[in-house]
């Protein structure tokens, strides 16, 4: 899947780079790819309970019609470097009861621009145009200034493994990467926590 042209909408009333870095980039993915998001059914106020017993932060959920299964992806686990899982995976048949795929890393190798240790907040969707699953993720760049940026990886299978074949992040507001035509620029301390929103009325997808 070729990266689509990206544009950024920023709230110009916010002047503090630190706040902008926390908010991240609001990016329009302008292309023909159709990205679909499916969320799990919400528990009611009377029966609310955690659906995952362990460490599984910043989850993103995608539904795979082929297997009639929900897949959830989360920030890396807390473990020794040799036991670190960059992106954790859990599955569910009903969107409520979840089973973690222990030892499975949906993104075993980061893009060459990134270094391991801070792989956060994946967001996954299915691209019906290219027939593949797309993951946006946060990682720390391995060059100066060392900010966190957003990469994009793809896989034919919902559980992965996903591959990021680019030598640069897809979004990085660190003041360095604007030379890449597909990378949103500006120096705002990096970009974090991507999330995909698809407007059902237009079919346009937005990376927030």
């Amino acid at each position: 899947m070729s990266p689509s042209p990206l544009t950024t909408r920023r709230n110009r009333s916010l002047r503090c780079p630190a706040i902008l870095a926390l908010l991240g980039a609001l990016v329009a993915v302008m292309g023909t790819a159709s990205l679909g998001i499916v969320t799990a059914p919400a528990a009611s106020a009377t029966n609310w309970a955690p659906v995952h017993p362990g460490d599984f932060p910043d989850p993103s959920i995608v539904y795979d019609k082929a297997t009639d299964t929900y897949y959830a992806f989360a920030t890396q686990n807390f473990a020794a470097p040799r036991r670190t899982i960059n992106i954790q995976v859990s599955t569910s048949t009903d969107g409520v009861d979840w089973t973690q795929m222990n030892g499975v890393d949906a993104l075993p190798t980061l893009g060459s621009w990134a270094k391991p240790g801070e792989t956060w907040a994946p967001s996954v969707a299915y691209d019906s145009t290219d027939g593949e699953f797309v993951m946006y993720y946060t990682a720390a760049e391995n060059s100066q200034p060392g900010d966190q940026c957003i990469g994009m990886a793809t896989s034919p299978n919902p559980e992965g493994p996903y591959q990021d074949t680019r030598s640069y992040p897809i979004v990085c507001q660190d003041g360095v990467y604007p030379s890449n035509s597909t990378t949103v620029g500006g120096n705002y301390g990096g970009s974090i926590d991507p999330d995909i929103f698809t407007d059902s009325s237009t079919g346009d997808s937005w990376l927030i």
Side-chain angles (χ1 to χ4, degrees):
M1 174 178 174
S2 300
S4 303
L6 300 168
T7 59
T8 300
R9 293 182 177 180
R10 300 190 185 92
N11 185 341
R12 298 187 182 279
S13 66
L14 296 175
R15 300 299 182 184
C16 177
I19 295 177
L20 285 170
L22 289 173
L23 291 176
L26 175 59
V27 182
V29 182
M30 305 299 293
T32 59
S34 177
L35 299 176
I37 307 298
V38 178
T39 57
S44 71
T46 57
N47 70 351
W48 184 90
V51 297
H52 203 288
D55 170 40
F56 204 78
D58 307 322
S60 171
I61 299 170
V62 66
Y63 175 70
D64 179 34
K65 291 183 179 179
T67 59
D68 191 24
T69 302
Y70 293 94
Y71 290 83
F73 304 87
T75 287
Q76 73 175 57
N77 64 340
F78 289 95
R82 63 181 181 179
R83 300 181 62 185
T84 297
I85 294 176
N86 293 321
I87 299 296
Q88 303 181 77
V89 189
S90 288
T91 61
S92 173
T93 57
D94 58 10
V96 176
D97 300 307
W98 294 87
T99 301
Q100 185 158 356
M101 300 177 69
N102 292 319
V104 173
D105 192 337
L107 186 67
T109 303
L110 304 181
S112 62
W113 58 270
K115 61 182 178 181
E118 294 182 318
T119 311
W120 295 355
S123 186
V124 180
Y126 180 68
D127 177 2
S128 59
T129 300
D130 291 340
E132 61 186 4
F133 292 86
V134 181
M135 174 188 290
Y136 292 93
Y137 68 98
T138 302
E141 56 186 338
N142 56 24
S143 59
Q144 293 299 319
D147 291 334
Q148 286 184 294
C149 306
I150 297 171
M152 187 180 86
T154 59
S155 172
N157 304 309
E159 73 275 16
Y162 289 79
Q163 292 185 317
D164 182 351
T165 59
R166 294 172 184 80
S167 60
Y168 54 88
I170 198 74
V171 180
C172 192
Q173 295 173 295
D174 66 350
V176 175
Y177 278 105
S179 59
N180 296 306
S181 61
T182 58
T183 302
V184 174
N187 188 1
Y188 298 100
S191 305
I192 63 172
D193 298 353
D195 194 19
I196 304 167
F197 169 75
T198 298
D199 184 345
S200 59
S201 64
T202 64
D204 291 338
S205 292
W206 301 76
L207 186 63
I208 301 172

